[in-house]
Amino acid sequence: MVRRRSRSRDWGPPAPPVWPGGGGGRRRSSSGGGAGCSELPRLPLNMAAAAEAAAAAPAGGGGGCSPAAAGGGGGSVPVLFCFSVFARPSSVPHGSGYELLIQKFLSLYGDQIDMHRKFVVQLFAEEWSQYIDLPKGFLVSERCKVRLVPLQIQMTTLGNLTPSSTVFFCCDMQERFRPAIKYFGDIISVGQRLLQGARLLGIPVIVTEQYPKGLGSTVQEIDLTGAKLVLPKTKFSMVLPEVEAALAEIPGVRSVVLFGVETHVCIQQTALELIGRGLEVHIVADATSSRSMMDRMFALERLARTGIIVTTSEAILLQLVADKEHPKFKEIQNLIKASAPESGLLSKV
């Protein structure tokens, strides 16, 4: 069992939910719990780093949140760690706290844990014959059973865009794709319109090029002036460490406007990784294509079902200015005076 006050007393407030992934240091607690107590920090996304942190963590990992008298001696305490349908016996140092338990879960189940969801740790309480939320400040002193439970929180995607919280992703618009991608000239035209709009509105642009040594650089018609990052890649998804680092430098990013090729490969894999990281994704239908229209059509249908927003370039640009009184409205209006090309893309969305 985990050390706790007598049964006649309240269990106290449960520990807050935790994100196993993500950055950030310790955050001060806004609730009670005693002087010096702080919220559990977000743990590293890198699973190897998390496992190393668990192995290196000192005994009595409760820190300032620990009860004044932990009692007991040293050594290890057997703990059964449960997650989903799995249960794995292990051990932790006597006096281990909430943070070390989370790190242990990561070292045992890192490959199965969705690093971008909130979780809560629960303890099996024999007096109740069921799991209860693990109270803050408790330390492992006896054999016990704990589990990691994902919180089932449904988020509604509203699709609101503001320049200050938006980044444009331009994916693999390269010369060697020109003869193979359906309606490539049309998506180049629309892509250039989007990049002009990004420059007018001060929106960061991240560009990738798939194996440029063999597939060439971004086509000359696409003006990359002012792009925050232009990066070669071999991975299909644009979500590379350098891209994640660039996103981390932009405060308040919430939405990604994504366009380029191919819809069913690099665009699809990028979009799925981005929503997995909690970002809202807008795919520009008139600025993305594939070699096969069947591949494109089914990719867009699949992505829309996952909550990704499939939209158009004009809708994106007008949503970003939002008001005819916007200081850049006239310049954006000039960009969209000529409608985007109505090609075979239209009947294949």
Side-chain angles (χ1 to χ4, degrees), residues 157-160 280-285 303-304 307-311 316 319:
T157 300
L158 299 176
N160 294 324
E280 185 178 84
V281 181
H282 300 246
I283 292 179
V284 189
L303 293 167
I308 290 166
I309 297 164
V310 180
T311 184
I316 290 286
Q319 191 173 16

Side-chain angles (χ1 to χ4, degrees), residues 142-321:
E142 297 181 79
R143 183 188 194 99
C144 63
K145 180 165 65 173
V146 292
R147 70 177 181 181
L148 188 66
V149 183
L151 298 182
Q152 304 293 334
I153 299 177
Q154 295 298 321
M155 300 287 290
T156 301
T157 300
L158 299 176
N160 294 324
L161 286 173
T162 58
S164 62
S165 63
T166 300
V167 178
F168 280 21
F169 275 30
C170 176
C171 182
D172 306 350
M173 301 277 275
Q174 293 161 254
E175 191 59 46
R176 287 288 295 274
F177 289 125
R178 191 185 295 270
I181 301 296
K182 293 290 194 296
Y183 309 105
F184 193 63
D186 291 346
I187 67 170
I188 289 175
S189 172
V190 177
Q192 176 61 5
R193 176 185 300 196
L194 287 165
L195 294 180
Q196 287 178 284
R199 284 192 290 274
L200 287 171
L201 298 172
I203 295 172
V205 174
I206 292 175
V207 182
T208 58
E209 297 174 339
Q210 179 72 20
Y211 185 54
K213 182 178 178 181
L215 297 174
S217 300
T218 301
V219 297
Q220 291 185 349
E221 297 97 312
I222 297 287
D223 183 1
L224 300 182
T225 302
K228 181 175 179 64
L229 180 67
V230 180
L231 185 70
K233 67 182 178 70
T234 56
K235 179 182 176 181
F236 295 139
S237 169
M238 292 179 69
V239 184
L240 302 165
E242 296 90 339
V243 172
E244 294 193 89
L247 288 174
E249 295 172 358
I250 306 169
V253 171
R254 189 181 68 240
S255 307
V256 173
V257 172
L258 174 62
F259 57 96
V261 299
E262 289 188 66
T263 312
H264 66 295
V265 186
C266 298
I267 294 294
Q268 177 171 272
Q269 293 184 31
T270 301
L272 293 174
E273 283 207 56
L274 289 172
I275 62 168
R277 282 159 171 73
L279 291 164
E280 185 178 84
V281 181
H282 300 246
I283 292 179
V284 189
D286 51 337
T288 181
S289 189
S290 298
R291 289 168 297 151
S292 158
M293 288 295 95
M294 179 177 288
D295 285 332
R296 177 179 181 272
M297 177 180 68
F298 282 105
L300 292 177
E301 287 183 2
R302 175 191 175 185
L303 293 167
R305 286 196 299 270
T306 65
I308 290 166
I309 297 164
V310 180
T311 184
T312 65
S313 57
E314 184 168 324
I316 290 286
L317 293 172
L318 290 177
Q319 191 173 16
L320 286 166
V321 294

